[in-house]
Structure formats: C-alpha cells, structure tokens
Amino acid sequence: MRRLNHLLSQYSGSSQFSTPAVEHLIEKYKFHRTNPQIILSHCQWQVSNIYKNLFHECIAPRICPLLVPALLEFKSDDVNKCITKRGAKKGKKFEDKHMEMLIHHLDTVHNAAMIVPFDAKAMQCLFSDIAKLILTVSFNELMFRRDLCNLRSGVRIKHNVCVLVQWFRKHQFVQIEIILQPLLQVANLLQARKTVADIQGFNEICSSLKVSQIINVLRHYSPIRDYEPKVSASFICNVKQKLLALRKETETGNEPTIIPENYLNANDLLNFEPCDVDLKTVEIPASVEAYAAKI
C-alpha cells in the first residue's frame, strides 16, 4: 500500500515527484487524462490507518507491560532474578525474564518487518516510534515513582537502558539512541553528586531534560542512608534558578514534566520516495480496487 502510494505520486505527472532515475518509467506510465488524487488520498489514509492499527493492536500491548519491570525495576546484579537460557552453555546467565521477553518481542517485530518486507525508511520509522513508546512509558513512570529516584536505581536504569541501546545498534538503528537520551540522562542525574558546585554540570548532563523535569527528579530523590546528604528545598530552588538563567531563551520553568503520548508519526511513511517498480508488476490491493470502482 505504501509503495502504491509512492507510485501514484510518481506517475501523477507532477514535476515535484519527477527524478532522473525513473524518468523513463514516468514518461511511459504517467496519467495523462486521469487525476489520481482521490485514489492517492485513499491510499494515504489506508497506510496511516494500517500502521496505527499495527502499532496499537500488535506491538504496544506486548511491549508496554514489560517496560517498567525490565528497564526500571530489574536489578541486573540480582542472581536470583537471572535465568539460564535453554540451550545455552551450563552456568551462562542471562538478564531478567522481563528484559529477555522485551528483547524477544523486539526481535519478533524486526523479523516480521524483514519478511514483509519493510524498506529501510519504513523500518527506521517503525523502530523510532517503538523507541518513543519505550521512552514515554518509562520516563513518565519515573516522574511519579519516588521509590525509583535514588542512586541505586540510577545505576540499574542506566545499565538496563544501555542493554536496549545495544539491541538498536546491533540492528543498525544507531540514531534511535538519541530518542532514549532523556531516560539515560535521568539515570545520570540520579547518580550525580548533588552539591552547589555540581549545579553547572546538571545543565550539561541533562541537556535533553526540561528544568521542570530535573526539579521533579530532585524533589523525589531519596538519598541512601548514611551515604548521601538529603537534597534540601533550598538546593532545589538554587538549581531551578541557575538552570533557568542558563536556559532563559528556551524555558520558563513551567513546562510539563511528562512526555506527551504522541509518539506515532505515520506521516513519515508517506514522504515520497522514487520507485523503479514497473506498473505492470504491481498487484493492486482489493480494498483500493473496490474504492476505485465507486468513483
């Protein structure tokens, strides 16, 4: 359906969709007496609708329940929570079952997308949206969980997110690491020293976080007994003033602390790409044929 959308744009005769690589095909197949805009709009709606249904019905329901236990709560050094993978060498330990299940679901989605097959741009779009889903669910949970705002959790969360980042790197989704930066930066903030001398450094290690989010984490922070001093209200006020002074052109301090749940962007799938597929070989989806017959 997505490829058909590109082909309809390509052969519409519009100069904005003309490229030297496929000029010979455009000249051969361009629509001289037909305006494909109605069918094109229908195809775009179909692509967007199919993608949203795929994401909300097949991907998100399987991934979302695993995010908090796999990324935020699992202690990677807890031997009792490690499992031995079937078929592995004796004594070899793997991550907690929730992390293993999360990686398994990502592998399943990736394998299915390869079979379809998704082109590189569609694959990037899909896994970027999955990364945004992971960030949104995990980050927003952190904003409300006082029990997760401590030094130990910071170490744990950073380790678990790095495991996930390694999966994205392994599958050539290097740019997706940027999407998960806010989660890593919260982990860095939880691990950072919290003295007046360190406030300037907060601006650097938390460059992807809003001041309101930094303040929220500090307010929820629970120091380890006899190891760290308590984060005082005056210190938090000092942090807010100094960071807002550094970001006075971009922030007011009243920005929301949670990330909006608008991670899906099906429009990226509709961005035109030239296609060298011969129209004679294209199989028109039945839904499009039925729609075309009505107009």
Side-chain angles (χ1 to χ4, degrees):
M1 186 69 74
R2 180 171 177 267
R3 184 174 293 173
L4 178 60
N5 174 69
H6 293 327
L7 287 170
L8 286 172
S9 298
Q10 183 168 289
Y11 297 124
S12 65
S14 175
S15 58
Q16 64 177 314
F17 300 122
S18 177
T19 59
V22 292
E23 275 185 357
H24 64 291
L25 288 174
I26 294 176
E27 187 60 33
K28 182 178 180 181
Y29 290 118
K30 70 179 179 181
F31 308 121
H32 294 285
R33 297 183 178 85
T34 304
N35 183 0
Q37 190 57 48
I38 297 177
I39 299 295
L40 182 59
S41 297
H42 179 71
C43 285
Q44 291 173 345
W45 175 83
Q46 286 268 38
V47 169
S48 179
N49 196 46
I50 290 171
Y51 181 69
K52 289 177 181 178
N53 288 339
L54 168 70
F55 203 93
H56 288 304
E57 295 178 13
C58 301
I59 297 176
R62 289 170 172 79
I63 290 179
C64 284
L66 299 171
L67 295 179
V68 173
L71 298 180
L72 306 184
E73 296 177 341
F74 167 57
K75 298 179 181 179
S76 59
D77 57 348
D78 188 345
V79 178
N80 294 325
K81 286 191 175 182
C82 289
I83 59 174
T84 303
K85 194 173 183 180
R86 291 181 181 178
K89 293 181 180 180
K90 186 177 180 180
K92 187 175 181 181
K93 298 295 182 180
F94 287 80
E95 300 289 356
D96 170 84
K97 63 180 181 180
H98 295 104
M99 177 62 79
E100 188 177 23
M101 289 171 65
L102 177 58
I103 296 297
H104 170 72
H105 283 310
L106 291 176
D107 283 335
T108 300
V109 173
H110 186 268
N111 292 338
M114 293 291 287
I115 292 172
V116 170
F118 273 37
D119 58 46
K121 188 167 185 177
M123 191 79 85
Q124 184 73 31
C125 178
L126 173 62
F127 281 94
S128 290
D129 284 344
I130 290 176
K132 291 172 186 174
L133 169 67
I134 292 171
L135 170 67
T136 301
V137 173
S138 303
F139 188 91
N140 290 347
E141 182 77 10
L142 265 175
M143 290 295 104
F144 293 103
R145 291 280 297 272
R146 186 178 295 272
D147 61 310
L148 294 176
C149 291
N150 54 66
L151 176 60
R152 291 192 182 95
S153 290
V155 175
R156 180 169 68 243
I157 292 167
K158 185 169 185 177
H159 171 271
N160 295 338
V161 174
C162 285
V163 170
L164 200 57
V165 167
Q166 287 300 318
W167 185 92
F168 284 114
R169 287 178 179 173
K170 175 184 174 183
H171 292 84
Q172 310 302 315
F173 301 122
V174 180
Q175 294 181 344
I176 290 179
E177 184 176 351
I178 299 173
I179 296 174
L180 298 175
Q181 275 302 304
L183 203 53
L184 286 171
Q185 290 187 5
V186 169
N188 289 336
L189 178 60
L190 292 174
Q191 296 177 74
R193 290 191 311 171
K194 296 164 183 66
T195 66
V196 175
D198 301 308
I199 295 177
Q200 184 77 24
F202 288 176
N203 192 52
E204 298 174 6
I205 67 171
C206 301
S207 57
S208 297
L209 301 178
K210 300 294 184 184
V211 172
S212 57
Q213 294 167 337
I214 296 171
I215 297 304
N216 191 70
V217 172
L218 292 176
R219 283 175 177 162
H220 287 169
Y221 189 79
S222 301
I224 298 175
R225 186 179 299 177
D226 300 328
Y227 179 74
E228 299 175 282
K230 186 177 180 180
V231 179
S232 66
S234 60
F235 174 78
I236 294 174
C237 184
N238 196 0
V239 171
K240 184 175 182 179
Q241 290 177 350
K242 289 190 175 182
L243 291 184
L244 284 177
L246 291 170
R247 304 182 183 185
K248 59 183 178 181
E249 295 183 0
T250 58
E251 294 185 44
T252 64
N254 297 318
E255 288 76 15
T257 56
I258 62 173
I259 298 176
E261 295 184 2
N262 56 352
Y263 40 79
L264 274 189
N265 189 8
N267 290 334
D268 285 349
L269 291 171
L270 301 174
N271 292 336
F272 174 73
E273 289 183 12
C275 185
D276 60 0
V277 174
D278 195 304
L279 274 183
K280 290 182 179 179
T281 66
V282 175
E283 183 177 344
I284 306 299
S287 60
V288 176
E289 284 191 343
Y291 182 81
K294 297 178 182 179
I295 60 177

